[in-house]
Amino acid sequence: MTHPLARLQADQGPLIPRNREIHPVPYDPGYKTSVARSPNQPLLAMESGLSEETGPTFGHSAFGQYDNNLILNWNRGAAPAIGERIMMHGRVLDENARPVRNTLVEIWQANAGGRYRHKKDGYLAPLDPNFGGCGRTLTDENGYYQFLTIRPGAYPWPNRGNDWRPMHIHVSVFGHSFGQRLITQMYFEGDPLINLCPIAKTVKDRASLDRLVAPLDMAHSRPLDYLAYKFDIVLRGRRQTMFENRIEGM
Amino acid sequence: MVQQLDTLQESASQTAGPYVHIGLMPSYTGNGQIYDSELGYSPIEEGAEGEIIEIVGEVIDGTGWTLRDALIESWQPDASGKFAGQEGADPKVSGWCRFAADAETGEFTLRTVKPGKVALRGGGFGAPHISLWVVARGINIGLQTRIYFEDEDNSEDPLLKRIEQRPRVETLIAKKEADGKYRFNIRLQGEGETVFLDI
C-alpha cells in the first residue's frame, strides 16, 4: 500500500512557521477581555501535518445572488441599507505571493450608525431595518474578491473609561488548509480612532497594523454610486517540496 | 545592505469580537434569513462510515468562568483517516464543522464520526484526533488545539510525545462518558490549561 502522503501535490507541503511577532500579543491589559482569556503557557511548537495542511473546500453552488452585497442581502433586494455606500475589494495571497483561489471570505460589521444586529448590542444608535451586517464570497482564479456594503460607524465600548472602536469590518479567511485559518479586521484610511483603539494596539508591530488599514481607492470607485477601499490579505504560505524534475518545487 | 526577500508577511490576526456569530453562524443570532444555507453545519452526512460520536464540552477562562461566546471550528479525517479531497475519502464526511457555545450554559456539542489514524510525513501514523480552532472576544489570535480519545492508543503520537510536562497530555484527551459520548473541556488559562499549538 502506498503511504497516503506520497500522493500529495507540490502545493501541499508543510506550512511556513507563523511569525508571531507580527501578530497581536495574546495577553494585553489594555484590552481587558484578553486578560483572563490568553494562555499563560507557551504554545507547543510542531511541524504541520496533514491535519493542518488539508482543509475544507467550498463550491459556488452554496452561494446566493446577494451574498456579497450587504446593501441588499438582508431583504434580498427589496430596499437598500442606509449609509455611505462602499466597495471593499482586494486580493488574497499567501506568503509566497501566490493567489489563494476559490477560498471563502466572510465579513461582518456594524451598520452606518455603529450598531450590530445582535440582541446583546445595546448601543443607542438605531438598527437599520434594511441592514443585516454579514456577507460572504469566494475569491476568483486570481485571488480577487469584492463586497458592496455600507461604511460601518465607529462606536463606544465598555473597556476603559471612554474607548471607541474605529470603523472596521471583521474579515474571516479560510485559505486552503486548516492551518491558514485567519480572522482579521479591515480599518479605514484616515480614521483617527485607530491610534487610540486597544484592540488595534494589541498588534505591536506598526507596519503590521498599517497593513490592516485599507486605503481609499478612487480608481475603483464608481461615480455617483460608491467609494472603494482596497484590502489585500496575506495568509500563511507553504514550504515547497523539492522534486527532482522541478528543482524549484513550483 | 542585503537584498530583500520576496516573501510577503501574513496579515495580523484580530479578535473575532463579541459578535462573531453574526458573520459566521447568522442563524445562531436569529439572522438566519440572509443565506439559503449556512456553511459548516455538520461534518458528516447521513450514512457516513464508522462510529458516530458526540463530544460535549465547555471553554473555560482563567477565572473558572465558562465562555458563552466561544465559536469553534473542527477539522478531521473520516473513519479510515482520510481527509475530504484525498483519494478514497468517504464522500459523506466533509470533516469540517462550525459550532458555538450555548449562549446560556456555555456548553458545546460536536456530533461527528470518530476519526481514523492519520498518516505522518516520513511514514507511520498518528493517533486519531480532531483539530480545533477556537475564537471569541478577547482571544487576539485563534487558538489551535486537538482532541484525542482516551479509548485509543495514544502512546506513539508524535505531538503528544512532545509534551514535556506529562500531566498536560491529559488536557488533549477526551474522556469517555458512555458509548459514543465524550467530554472535552478547553481551559484557556491557569490550572489545567489546555495545550495550545504553534503549528
Side-chain angles (χ1 to χ4, degrees):
Chain A
M1 176 191 146
T2 316
H3 192 267
L5 269 171
R7 295 198 204 94
L8 285 181
Q9 297 163 0
D11 68 347
Q12 291 180 303
L15 290 161
I16 294 172
R18 201 159 230 166
N19 174 9
R20 292 194 179 256
E21 311 252 309
I22 53 110
H23 282 290
V25 293
Y27 168 82
D28 193 329
Y31 175 24
K32 291 181 181 174
T33 310
S34 76
V35 169
R37 293 182 167 195
S38 47
N40 291 334
Q41 301 298 323
L43 306 182
L44 180 72
M46 187 82 193
E47 186 180 59
S48 64
L50 267 185
S51 305
E52 294 78 33
E53 293 159 20
T54 53
T57 51
F58 304 96
H60 288 274
S61 60
F63 293 76
Q65 177 188 359
Y66 295 115
D67 281 9
N68 69 340
N69 185 338
L70 286 74
I71 296 174
L72 297 178
N73 70 7
W74 176 247
N75 53 26
R76 315 236 168 172
I82 295 164
E84 181 182 323
R85 298 158 66 89
I86 63 168
M87 181 176 72
M88 166 186 177
H89 74 112
R91 216 173 167 200
V92 183
L93 301 169
D94 70 12
E95 287 171 292
N96 298 312
R98 292 195 284 188
V100 184
R101 309 182 163 94
N102 301 317
T103 197
L104 180 64
V105 181
E106 295 162 290
I107 64 171
W108 65 101
Q109 62 170 94
N111 68 24
R115 183 161 169 188
Y116 287 94
R117 184 172 289 282
H118 193 288
K119 62 177 185 288
K120 287 199 170 162
D121 188 347
Y123 182 38
L124 48 77
L127 270 179
D128 178 350
N130 296 317
F131 188 74
C134 77
R136 63 186 188 184
T137 192
L138 293 178
T139 57
D140 70 12
E141 281 300 302
N142 297 307
Y144 288 99
Y145 74 91
Q146 66 177 52
F147 291 97
L148 276 179
T149 187
I150 293 298
R151 188 157 85 157
Y155 57 85
W157 58 300
N159 184 57
R160 302 174 302 195
N162 188 18
D163 278 323
W164 288 69
R165 293 300 332 271
M167 301 176 287
H168 66 280
I169 295 177
H170 295 267
V171 185
S172 166
V173 194
F174 258 80
H176 295 154
S177 66
F178 197 62
Q180 286 178 309
R181 200 72 185 79
L182 182 73
I183 284 182
T184 185
Q185 293 179 25
M186 180 185 104
Y187 299 104
F188 291 79
E189 178 184 8
D191 187 340
L193 293 170
I194 296 169
N195 286 333
L196 305 178
C197 174
I199 288 178
K201 280 184 181 175
T202 61
V203 179
K204 302 305 176 190
D205 181 77
R206 184 69 211 198
S208 183
L209 177 60
D210 287 344
R211 284 193 291 275
L212 303 185
V213 182
L216 176 66
D217 177 6
M218 291 308 288
H220 286 88
S221 298
R222 185 172 183 176
L224 303 176
D225 190 345
Y226 56 73
L227 289 171
Y229 287 87
K230 184 171 189 288
F231 188 60
D232 289 339
I233 300 159
V234 180
L235 300 180
R236 297 172 67 183
R238 293 166 183 277
R239 281 176 17 225
Q240 290 143 23
T241 309
M242 300 291 269
F243 287 87
E244 285 175 29
N245 58 340
R246 288 179 302 160
I247 205 75
E248 77 282 15
M250 303 289 283
Chain B
M1 189 70 185
V2 297
Q3 59 177 299
Q4 299 266 308
L5 290 171
D6 61 2
T7 46
L8 303 176
Q9 284 203 316
E10 190 185 7
S11 298
S13 171
Q14 290 277 264
T15 176
Y19 304 125
V20 55
H21 304 91
I22 291 177
L24 304 188
M25 298 176 69
S27 62
Y28 173 94
T29 51
N31 299 347
Q33 70 192 78
I34 290 191
Y35 303 136
D36 288 333
S37 64
E38 243 163 69
L39 302 168
Y41 186 73
S42 171
I44 52 172
E45 287 173 38
E46 210 52 52
E49 288 172 35
E51 185 193 358
I52 302 300
I53 59 171
E54 226 176 63
I55 303 167
V56 176
E58 296 167 52
V59 184
I60 301 160
D61 74 11
T63 71
W65 181 248
T66 299
L67 272 60
R68 268 65 176 168
D69 62 333
L71 183 144
I72 303 175
E73 289 181 4
S74 63
W75 174 241
Q76 63 166 94
D78 65 16
S80 68
K82 293 197 173 72
F83 289 91
Q86 281 191 293
E87 199 179 311
D90 183 348
K92 305 277 191 192
V93 178
S94 77
W96 175 63
C97 190
R98 212 171 229 182
F99 50 102
D102 184 275
E104 302 298 325
T105 67
E107 199 164 78
F108 64 77
T109 301
L110 171 62
R111 184 176 177 276
T112 187
V113 68
K114 199 167 183 199
K117 290 184 286 190
V118 180
L120 300 173
R121 186 168 274 112
F125 291 87
H129 64 267
I130 296 174
S131 295
L132 297 184
W133 179 76
V134 183
V135 293
R137 175 174 63 99
I139 296 177
N140 291 331
I141 178 164
L143 293 167
Q144 288 169 292
T145 187
R146 287 182 178 180
I147 303 175
Y148 289 86
F149 300 91
E150 98 176 317
D151 52 352
E152 296 285 342
D153 177 6
N154 296 312
S155 59
E156 291 305 313
D157 185 79
L159 188 144
L160 295 179
K161 277 165 82 172
R162 204 179 168 100
I163 300 172
E164 188 186 349
Q165 301 91 350
R166 300 313 290 167
R168 298 199 72 207
V169 172
E170 288 305 309
T171 69
L172 297 185
I173 297 181
K175 302 294 181 284
K176 191 166 183 173
E177 296 195 316
D179 278 349
K181 303 258 186 199
Y182 296 85
R183 173 156 282 273
F184 186 79
N185 288 342
I186 299 166
R187 292 181 190 275
L188 299 178
Q189 189 184 83
E191 197 178 336
E193 180 177 313
T194 299
V195 172
F196 295 106
L197 307 175
D198 185 8
I199 294 187

